[in-house]
Amino acid sequence: MFTKNDLVDAIFEKLNMNKSDEKPVNRIFLSDWEMRKMLQPGASEIRIPANAIISPLALDWIEFKKIKIIRI
């Protein structure tokens, strides 16, 4: 007899099979300290990787300093 747990297991296996074929995504996390290091003196923009994650504190700092983020 097919139980509720069997259904959950079948769905989970199918979802895992699809994800195992994909390459893992390497994303970097940028803190406000790292963003401050990246900003050149006198510059008003920072270039970061397109898939980078920016910390909430760094977003506040970027907004306060009116820095333009360019994702490459």
Side-chain angles (χ1 to χ4, degrees):
M1 177 147 183
F2 200 67
T3 66
K4 179 180 171 183
N5 289 335
D6 293 333
L7 178 62
V8 171
D9 289 341
I11 292 171
F12 186 73
E13 285 178 22
K14 182 63 176 169
L15 291 175
N16 271 348
M17 287 175 55
N18 291 341
K19 291 191 179 211
S20 64
D21 296 340
E22 299 173 4
K23 282 187 354 185
V25 177
N26 292 330
R27 298 179 75 180
I28 62 169
F29 180 81
L30 297 172
S31 67
D32 65 317
W33 181 77
E34 291 164 326
M35 299 288 283
R36 290 173 199 247
K37 284 191 341 185
M38 293 172 70
L39 185 65
Q40 299 294 322
S44 63
E45 65 183 34
I46 298 176
R47 295 179 183 272
I48 63 171
N51 63 350
I53 301 168
I54 303 173
S55 75
L57 186 58
L59 289 172
D60 290 342
W61 175 75
I62 289 165
E63 183 179 335
F64 178 73
K65 294 288 189 174
K66 296 183 171 84
I67 297 171
K68 182 178 180 183
I69 299 296
I70 300 173
R71 293 186 179 263
I72 53 173

